[in-house]
Amino acid sequence: MKKILLLLALPFTLAAAERPPAVPLVTNDPYFSIWSMSDRLNMDSTRHWTGKVQALHSLARIDGVTYRLMGAGDRDDSSKPLEQRSVTVAPTQTTYEFEGAGVGISLVFTTPLLPHDLDVLSRPLTYVTWRARSLDGRPHPVQIYFEASTNLAVNNPAEQPVNWARMKTKGLSVLRVGSREQPMLEKSGDDLRIDWGFLYLAAVEGPEVHMAANDRSLTRAGFGSNGSVNEEDAFAQQDPRNRYNPVRNPVLAMSHDLGQVGATPVSSYVMLAYDDLYSLEYLNRRVRPYWRRNGAEASDLLHDAAADYQGLMSKCAAFDRDLMADLTREGGKEYAGISALAYRQSIAAHKLAVDADGMLL
């Protein structure tokens, strides 16, 4: 993890062209760990801490024109980047601010790393939140798009096929993807990504929310033309070894119509989670993640996280404010900025699990 360890003495809030070597986005554990290694979030693909691409992509459609908030532009995406004004790194959250077309948009990644609450700390889940507001005194129709590449569920995307599924549970719309072979805990080493268990994209269901598991060219095209993902999942499951496979770049995609956005911010969020089923092998035994110790399943994880969203946003904001104040008082603003990065990285480098006898590992 040397690439991430090279932390700079930067202020807590950074201008658009300033950043640490890697900006934390999804920081749950060594496998579920996604960072931005670019000056601007919308100029390069997001990456696993090993440097391999694990792409998250986000678009905003304002007054019928599509702008890019996150991810690299490519042939499937004709959007232009919205101007990034700043990035703020806190102990539990990273916030990007964008402005353009008369609208300001905040894109916030929240991993509730609250050390006094191990049940929440151990959840392999990050919230992605958008907040849009008008800056020019006029209302603007705004739609939000988000996609997660299925590459997040495999170690070698060129060789490992994936399967996906759609489900609903207690008011949530959910997409899931995992490797077809599920080689659980079969590999060891540093330059590896997880290739067992399942990646989940979940949102609170509603008429303004649409989701699909399909080729990214189709999900982006639908959003670009009418501001909505076409809710049609690909029947063919992706297999990179078959050159005739029609689904070349499968993603889990979501769109949310925020309606007419005025001066009062309008928000939306999704949950990105990874259920590894078993986290590690200890003394020749496979052990469960801590959050599963009482028999919880992925549906419980998503439902509990959705129910806790508002409360956890407030708790994370208070925790970040208090910790940053303490750090600034003890070592100054630059010390506090370094510490916020170190906090995210050090926790993401570990995993809470539970042994067969209930002992915390």
Side-chain angles (χ1 to χ4, degrees), residues 68-297:
R68 190 168 67 255
L69 303 177
M70 174 169 55
D74 54 39
R75 64 184 181 182
D76 296 332
D77 178 11
S78 60
S79 63
K80 55 184 178 180
L82 200 64
E83 182 182 1
Q84 178 183 312
R85 301 303 300 271
S86 67
V87 55
T88 299
V89 179
T92 67
Q93 299 187 90
T94 295
T95 302
Y96 285 89
E97 298 288 349
F98 300 90
E99 291 184 6
V103 172
I105 297 179
S106 301
L107 177 52
V108 186
F109 299 84
T110 305
T111 307
L113 306 175
L114 302 175
H116 53 278
D117 189 339
L118 296 187
D119 288 302
V120 171
L121 177 66
S122 66
R123 289 177 184 170
L125 183 143
T126 290
Y127 302 98
V128 185
T129 302
W130 296 262
R131 299 189 185 99
R133 69 194 187 284
S134 173
L135 300 177
D136 59 8
R138 297 187 295 111
H140 297 270
V142 177
Q143 297 89 33
I144 295 297
Y145 172 92
F146 176 80
E147 72 178 34
S149 170
T150 59
N151 289 357
L152 272 70
V154 291
N155 176 56
N156 186 350
E159 296 293 334
Q160 293 181 288
V162 297
N163 294 337
W164 52 80
R166 176 188 291 262
M167 58 199 71
K168 289 188 177 182
T169 174
K170 299 180 182 178
L172 299 177
S173 294
V174 182
L175 298 173
R176 185 185 83 170
V177 67
S179 66
R180 184 177 302 171
E181 297 170 348
Q182 291 291 305
M184 187 173 295
L185 294 163
E186 290 184 6
K187 302 178 181 68
S188 61
D190 289 330
D191 189 14
L192 292 174
R193 276 65 50 195
I194 196 167
D195 57 5
W196 73 91
F198 298 94
L199 173 74
Y200 289 85
L201 177 64
V204 177
E205 64 180 353
E208 70 285 353
V209 175
H210 300 275
M211 302 179 73
N214 212 322
D215 193 281
R216 71 185 185 197
S217 63
L218 298 178
T219 59
R220 294 181 189 179
F223 181 77
S225 63
N226 57 32
S228 176
V229 168
N230 297 323
E231 289 198 309
E232 182 178 354
D233 301 332
F235 285 117
Q237 304 291 272
Q238 192 261 2
D239 189 341
R241 299 167 299 190
N242 178 5
R243 65 191 183 96
Y244 299 107
N245 178 39
V247 186
R248 304 303 302 169
N249 296 292
V251 297
L252 308 183
M254 181 279 303
S255 66
H256 190 159
D257 189 347
L258 301 183
Q260 294 287 333
V261 172
T264 301
V266 180
S267 65
S268 171
Y269 80 94
V270 295
M271 297 175 289
L272 195 64
Y274 205 107
D275 179 12
D276 58 9
L277 304 175
Y278 288 89
S279 296
L280 55 92
E281 189 174 278
Y282 180 66
L283 298 178
N284 296 318
R285 291 198 302 258
R286 291 178 176 177
V287 299
R288 293 284 196 182
Y290 183 81
W291 67 271
R292 272 181 167 271
R293 71 192 184 285
N294 294 321
E297 300 290 343

